[in-house]
Amino acid sequence: MSSVVASALRSPAPVGLALWLALWSAEARAEAPDAGAALSLPPVRVTGPGEAPAASSPLVRDPGALTTVVPARGRAGEVKDASELVAASPGAVVQDQGGAGQRKTLSLRGASPNGVLVLLDGVPLNAPGNAVDLSRLPVAMLDRVEVLRGAGSRYGPGAMGGVVNLVTRAPGPGARVFADVSQGSFWTTTASLGGATTLAGGDALALVHGLRSDGDFTYRWDDKPALAGNEWPQAVRQNNAALQGGGLVRWRRAFGATRLDVLAEGLFERRGLAGPVQNPTVDAAQQTGRGTVSARAVTAFDDGGELQVLGFGRLDATLLRGSPFGLAPLSQLETSAGAEAVYTRRALGRHRLTGLLSGGGDFLREPTGLNPAWGRLGAMVGDEVSFFDGRLLVDGSARVDVAGPFVVLSPKLAVTALLPRGFELRASGGQAARPPGFQELYVVQGTLLPNPELRPERGLLADVSAAWRASGAAVQVTGFAGLYENLIAYELYPPTLARPYNFAAASVMGAEVEGALTPAPWLEAQASYTFMATQNLKDDPRYYLKALPYRPRHRVTGRVVAGPDWLRARAEVLVQSEQFVNRTEAVALPARAFVNVGIAAMPWKNPRVTLAFDVKNVLDVQSQDVDGYPLPPRAAFLSLGVAVE
């Protein structure tokens, strides 16, 4: 039992959907004439400062889907990156290569990390089939994270398991300056500095951030797994250092009925690639430069219609050095560009019509000289129909995409029923598909190898949920199922590195339970449980009905925050059952439970000064992830934050 408790307090993000449901319910009841009467659908609310979600937000594009909203601002002293915010969302599994600044990717509801689409203010950070490293995105630059669970088929190829939309901090009116710095274990330092003001008739925000970590730590590992009860030796994790520096600039202004929002974000990074414990790489290193630029124009028309036009460009350059990559450095450059137009309009009283057109291209320069280039073209139509004064919503859509040589059709249907006394029922189903991406086919990703023989994958996915919301409380229960064809998943066969393979057919089914409770202004609690059963259905008879790799069956998360505004204490837990590393079920990563605690004091409000102390993995659980990467032991961090309005 102690080992289970020990694996649980590492998850920092609250159960966002439950929080959102609670806030949504409170707002709906405040607007309704009778709190006990049937509720009409309230407008979408978000945690940003006066900023409505964009057309690319899951809250707008797929309102019938289950979307977790995790607030990022106001988390004083919580030394985290974007992956840790998402970690407590039901159905989410973070794959962590261990240490500050090391690679962290996300799996949703059994889909591979390469099948999760990650957006930055609606701009794709990954081409279809490419996993996004969430360790590169610090909480300091974010306002909130929106996590759509289930088929994100309205986003086209690449959203097999869901969509994560990272919403950056908004410029907002008025001038302000803010700074945060933290220092902690393994000589890890994080810092950010930013400010907002008026500029050229609009609102502007600029932010720079950095991270440095030696990354070396002591860990224990089982060097003789076939020998029960053997003594685990100690080792020192080496070549695990990381250095990051990046920035964000955002500017927005209204021109009559049109609002323009411009974003530029970039990062430079160097880190060691320590490798798994069974096959460490003491000289491997990676250097990365990444940049994204986008412009969004939103125009409201007198007839009630709205047009959103988005254009973007992105590049990601990688240089790999060390003995695993040969004598000469291995360089890769991936670029993408695209545009999207979305038109929405209310029609015939109860219809909300949507039309979408998108296009672009993805390009790769890599050492073998293949240098592939794929064009992209997509179109979608949708209609959300309201019945019974908004208490019943039927939302259907159909999307077709061309990605390189592949054509993908993605239909989806969702139904939402708002019942009396705060109850709600939802159901959705659809098809999602994606081709293998450049990274899976051609690119060496640190210690992950490519596979040029991969085939496209397709999935049929559905979920049903019931929720109850009241003032200060919310609970939701969801059942989900998926059937995959040619599912792409990474597998490890020691001593070689991990590589992606196709599973001819596979199934995923499970349940999610989540809840939130705020019994008093000084106390709030959230918790979630995810059960997920996976099976390999059509393969070599030796593997028939065996579990898919890197899909733990059970996950439990919890978070409690207590205290007045000037002194807040918190405790978090994340428990995860064992997971296999390949289809043989011969090698498994053991169950783990992480506990994090922290306390934050705010002695002054203007300027706002926050002093915080954070301890991760309080019980010092020794664990591994991915293909044998040790996770850090107990770590402590001291943080100071200052903000001047």
Side-chain angles (χ1 to χ4, degrees), residues 55-83:
S56 53
S57 165
L59 299 173
V60 175
R61 182 164 298 181
D62 204 345
L66 294 173
T67 299
T68 297
V69 180
V70 184
R73 298 181 66 184
R75 290 175 163 260
E78 300 185 31
V79 183
K80 297 182 171 102
D81 55 36
S83 72

Side-chain angles (χ1 to χ4, degrees), residues 14-26 71 468-475 514-527 559-563 565 568:
V15 183
L17 177 59
L19 279 175
W20 179 58
L21 289 172
L23 294 171
W24 195 28
S25 171
W468 173 78
R469 306 185 304 274
S471 179
V475 63
E514 51 187 322
L517 181 65
T518 310
W522 52 269
L523 178 63
E524 61 183 54
Q526 303 90 34
R559 176 181 168 95
V560 177
V561 182
D565 289 342
R568 303 280 279 178

